[in-house]
Amino acid sequence: MKNNIKCELLSEQKIKEAVEKMGAQITSDYKGKELVLICILKGSIIFTADLMRAIDLPLKIDFLAASSYGSGTQSSGTITIKKDIDTDIKGKHVLLVEDIIDSGNTLSRLKKMFSEREAASVKICTMLDKPARRETEISPDYCGYTVPDEFVVGCGLDFDEYYRNLPYIGVLKPEAYE
Ligand code: IMP
Ligand code: MG
């Protein structure tokens, strides 16, 4: 499997540094507010687990599963909610925790959905941002790193459900999915 990794893009240490930085910023921005972190499954599990421990505030977490991908590497454009949260977020400050923003379709749909449920605020925290392929006008409020237009795996990110357990972010060789 590791033979399919073209190169390491971001080391475990680099990810850790970004998580610490974002955690400190969120801690200061949400002081005194009721914060709910929403982990967007499955890709954000590792990032959410790390990020929540870097936030020094009382908070709640919940999980949502959405999908726009099949087993390929292109967004299908249609977002399906496969599992919704069960927390009442009315009046609460929602922070959507995402692994990577690509087309932006997933987050723009989710942001709208949570605003309609009358959250006090809805913001986005993403480990990675791939702005080259954006199809909607959406940008993260907190972002670890901007990445080039390549398919990346590791730290929760998968290709066909594999590689989520890689401790670093790697670039997948195109021949692995072409
Ligand atoms: P969007 O709706 O196109 O922004 O899709 C975002 C979702 O697509 C992410 O949460 C990932 O699950 C997946 N995705 C986008 N780019 C990559 C990538 O380079 N590697 C792995 N998954 C990706
Ligand atoms: Mg995802």
Side-chain angles (χ1 to χ4, degrees), residues 115-152:
S115 301
E116 284 166 2
R117 290 184 193 175
E118 298 177 51
S121 69
V122 185
K123 286 191 173 177
I124 295 167
C125 180
T126 189
M127 178 170 70
L128 306 176
D129 188 11
K130 203 196 279 182
R133 305 205 327 155
R134 204 69 101 248
E135 290 169 14
T136 55
E137 232 178 83
I138 198 146
S139 55
D141 300 280
Y142 306 93
C143 172
Y145 296 100
T146 298
V147 296
D149 185 10
E150 288 186 282
F151 199 80
V152 293

Side-chain angles (χ1 to χ4, degrees), residues 34 36 87-94 114 117-120:
E34 276 201 72
V36 182
T87 307
D88 179 11
I89 50 94
K90 190 172 176 180
K92 310 254 167 68
H93 294 273
V94 166
F114 287 111
R117 290 184 193 175
E118 298 177 51

Side-chain angles (χ1 to χ4, degrees), residues 37-49:
L37 296 185
I38 298 182
C39 170
I40 303 169
L41 296 169
K42 302 170 188 171
S44 302
I45 48 160
I46 294 177
F47 179 46
T48 306

Side-chain angles (χ1 to χ4, degrees), residues 69 98-100 102-106 130 150-152 157-158:
Y69 275 69
E98 181 60 300
D99 49 5
I100 188 167
D102 188 22
S103 70
N105 292 327
T106 308
K130 203 196 279 182
E150 288 186 282
F151 199 80
V152 293
L157 288 155
D158 73 306

